[in-house]
Amino acid sequence: IKDDGIELLIQGARIGFDSWLHTISDVEELTKAVTKVGANLVPVDRNPIDQLWTDRPAPPLGAVEIQPAALSGELARDKLARLAARLAEEGVAHTVLTDPSSVAWAFNIRGSDVPHTPHPLARAIVPATGKPLLFLDKRKTKIEAEAYLAQLCLQQPPSELEAALARQAAGGARILVDPDLTPFALAELIRAKGGEIVEGNDPAKIPRACKNLA
């Protein structure tokens, strides 16, 4: 592959990438492209841009609010029950919700982390049985929202996602992930801990697109 006469990829080249910034599908497509010239993709332990970005701002801590049933049209516990039932039907133990839109829909919450986008930056692990795990910084939730979420899930710091997913994957658990939305790093973690990856659409994607009267 050449650009203005400069060779960018050569036989045996090793191309580093941040496995948190590329989805499973991204890596599959990139692998196909570099393999054509005999190059290889290599995940890097630390993103070199992050190491140079010394004045990087802290992660946003926008306040989280409850989306009332009058606006959502369906209680969060019923949405989560629907998701769990689908997982059971498909024979998978858990799914990982990595799209903030799906997390906001499933738990009936709204946030202010990103301008003009009312979704809190959060991820979740929803099981076929048991309580979901919601990885959402508690500094975003005031007493009311925290008490509300405590009835639906176990709220944990975002930093606990990897450890929690590793525990869920242990023993060969089948875990549903959306290849277009899930970071490659999480897929590698599931495999490394003995879990089985089941690729499919985010189970909240279609339900959240179906509007009700409210």
Side-chain angles (χ1 to χ4, degrees):
I1 299 175
K2 296 186 176 182
D3 180 28
D4 294 332
I6 300 175
E7 197 170 62
L8 300 179
L9 291 180
I10 60 175
Q11 180 85 19
R14 288 162 57 83
I15 313 300
F17 72 98
D18 187 333
S19 58
W20 282 98
L21 298 183
H22 295 276
T23 66
I24 299 170
S25 295
D26 288 340
V27 175
E28 288 178 354
E29 290 301 312
L30 288 170
T31 298
K32 290 177 184 177
V34 302
T35 300
K36 291 179 180 178
V37 294
N40 298 293
L41 286 181
V42 181
V44 296
D45 293 330
R46 296 183 65 192
N47 187 319
I49 300 300
D50 290 342
Q51 297 179 60
L52 295 172
W53 194 1
T54 56
D55 59 345
R56 183 175 183 171
L61 294 173
V64 168
E65 298 180 352
I66 303 166
Q67 181 79 338
L71 297 178
S72 67
E74 185 178 8
L75 296 176
R77 66 167 179 262
D78 295 330
K79 293 180 178 180
L80 291 167
R82 277 205 285 152
L83 294 181
R86 177 181 167 184
L87 298 179
E89 289 174 3
E90 297 186 3
V92 297
H94 311 274
T95 189
V96 185
L97 299 182
T98 56
D99 185 344
S101 299
S102 291
V103 175
W105 175 85
F107 292 90
N108 278 350
I109 53 177
R110 296 294 183 266
S112 53
D113 286 327
V114 181
H116 317 300
T117 305
H119 305 144
L121 296 179
R123 292 178 169 132
I125 298 176
V126 178
T129 58
K131 259 191 171 184
L133 302 178
L134 175 62
F135 301 92
L136 175 66
D137 196 314
K138 285 195 174 183
R139 288 175 293 178
K140 299 180 184 181
T141 49
K142 297 179 181 179
I143 295 176
E144 182 183 6
E146 196 169 321
Y148 162 80
L149 289 171
Q151 302 174 60
L152 301 171
C153 61
L154 299 176
Q155 185 179 347
Q156 298 186 356
S159 59
E160 293 296 315
L161 172 62
E162 292 176 77
L165 188 57
R167 290 193 297 271
Q168 306 295 358
R174 303 183 76 232
I175 299 177
L176 174 67
V177 298
D178 189 324
D180 294 331
L181 297 170
T182 304
F184 184 76
L186 293 183
E188 288 295 276
L189 173 63
I190 293 170
R191 293 191 186 98
K193 296 303 178 180
E196 178 185 347
I197 289 178
V198 178
E199 293 190 2
N201 288 329
D202 174 342
K205 186 183 294 183
I206 297 301
R208 67 181 168 85
C210 298
K211 306 306 179 185
N212 53 45
L213 292 177

